[in-house]
Amino acid sequence: LFRRLTLRNTLQQLRPQPRRIRNPRTRQLPLPFRHSPKHAPVHQPAPGPEEKLARDVYTALYDTWKAPIFNNIATAEQTHTDAVKTLLNRYAIDDPADGTAIGIFINPDIPALYTSLVSQGDESLVAALTVGATIEDLDIADLQARATTTADIALVYANLEKGSRNH
């Protein structure tokens, strides 16, 4: 529940707000909401494919094992994907994964990783849980490698990293 509230707060902070008021939940001022492509960061990191990979793998593992934890985390990963989508929209960056089906990826390296993780997770419930831990470790490493000083991106990344640690 805390993860959902944290990511929901992040999404609310990124949405346009009529005036700058203090957010009683975080005790911080909302982030500025008007950006144009010329103000976009020079390096435009977008961990969207990794979030989609995680969601798709957890969905497949839930289909195999029917363990509620996989469905819960798949739902959380969708929230992560939505947070990244908000950033992409803010900076007028196209989302290449938008509308793609489960297991379908634009990046040519990801389908093999998806297939490998799902097949490992199909071996046993313990293996599936290990795959989940591996996904979260990969997500955390990727987010740390994409560190940025751009405030809104850094906020989303920090919340994504918290979510990955909690999964």
Side-chain angles (χ1 to χ4, degrees), residues 6-152:
T6 302
L7 288 169
R8 187 173 296 140
N9 287 347
T10 300
L11 289 173
Q12 287 173 350
Q13 288 176 355
L14 293 175
R15 289 191 183 116
Q17 298 182 15
R19 59 190 173 133
R20 292 177 58 90
I21 57 173
R22 288 199 177 271
N23 183 334
R25 291 186 186 140
T26 62
R27 295 187 178 148
Q28 297 174 342
L29 290 174
L31 294 172
F33 61 88
R34 295 185 192 267
H35 291 280
S36 66
K38 78 175 194 174
H39 294 108
V42 175
H43 173 62
Q44 298 171 344
E50 291 85 355
E51 297 301 330
K52 182 182 181 329
L53 170 67
R55 184 198 64 202
D56 291 1
V57 170
Y58 283 120
T59 299
L61 295 176
Y62 176 74
D63 289 345
T64 300
W65 299 106
K66 302 297 185 216
I69 190 168
F70 296 126
N71 190 45
N72 295 344
I73 297 174
T75 301
E77 293 295 344
Q78 181 59 53
T79 304
H80 299 178
T81 302
D82 294 343
V84 172
K85 178 100 172 123
T86 299
L87 286 176
L88 293 174
N89 289 340
R90 172 177 280 185
Y91 290 106
I93 301 169
D94 289 332
D95 182 1
D98 195 25
T100 56
I102 291 177
I104 304 299
F105 303 93
I106 303 304
N107 181 326
D109 299 327
I110 295 179
L113 180 57
Y114 170 80
T115 302
S116 172
L117 291 170
V118 170
S119 65
Q120 288 173 40
D122 286 346
E123 293 175 12
S124 70
L125 182 56
V126 171
L129 294 169
T130 302
V131 164
T134 301
I135 289 170
E136 300 310 330
D137 288 344
L138 291 172
D139 280 352
I140 290 169
D142 182 61
L143 288 166
Q144 290 174 345
R146 295 174 184 261
T148 180
T149 58
T150 304
D152 54 352

Side-chain angles (χ1 to χ4, degrees), residues 1-8:
L1 178 62
F2 179 73
R3 288 188 307 267
R4 285 187 194 153
L5 290 176
T6 302
L7 288 169
R8 187 173 296 140

